[in-house]
Amino acid sequence: ARILRVNRITVVRKFRFLAQQCRIAQSEFLTRFENAKLEQVVFDEMETFEHTKFKPLSIALAVTPQREILFTEVARIPLKGFWRLNREKSMGIERTKGRGLFAGCSTN
């Protein structure tokens, strides 16, 4: 907003409008696959972190061979190695939701 010299509310409204347009486009894209049987779907998972290394995330993806993303899900995962020991000492043990990331993905 400062760079463009516009009101912050204008930027928020534009983001909300674009988010709604993306939701509409995504739902139209997914309707192509509702009744079609896919011969091949690739499931992949990658790890990243949110803000610091103390907040690791797992991102699950379901992708067609043409690299069209059908499904995504993000979940927290437990820390590993040195970071885990350091975190447990300073902040206690953390519960995660990492199991069953693909549970919400429909199976046809």
Side-chain angles (χ1 to χ4, degrees):
R2 288 180 185 164
I3 293 171
L4 297 175
R5 295 183 182 176
V6 295
N7 194 327
R8 190 173 58 197
I9 294 171
T10 304
V11 174
V12 170
R13 286 180 184 154
K14 187 58 123 174
F15 268 106
R16 288 182 179 166
F17 171 75
L18 292 174
Q20 183 63 29
Q21 294 298 312
C22 288
R23 284 188 200 102
I24 292 169
Q26 180 68 9
S27 66
E28 290 173 359
F29 170 75
L30 290 177
T31 55
R32 293 185 350 202
F33 299 104
E34 278 183 0
N35 296 326
K37 291 204 174 200
L38 297 172
E39 293 181 15
Q40 187 178 13
V41 176
V42 178
F43 291 97
D44 194 15
E45 197 169 1
M46 60 185 171
E47 292 184 11
T48 187
F49 59 89
E50 173 190 7
H51 192 272
T52 69
K53 289 185 180 181
F54 288 119
K55 298 178 181 179
L57 301 173
S58 176
I59 303 171
L61 299 167
V63 185
T64 66
Q66 293 79 27
R67 297 183 181 167
E68 297 170 320
I69 298 173
L70 299 174
F71 177 80
T72 61
E73 186 69 35
V74 178
R76 285 190 173 161
I77 56 175
L79 287 168
K80 299 173 185 170
F82 171 77
W83 299 112
R84 180 177 153 226
L85 298 173
N86 196 5
R87 170 78 184 237
E88 287 177 0
K89 286 180 186 175
S90 63
M91 305 181 107
I93 297 174
E94 179 179 321
R95 299 285 177 214
T96 64
K97 298 181 199 174
R99 296 178 190 256
L101 286 180
F102 290 111
C105 183
S106 65
T107 57
N108 288 338

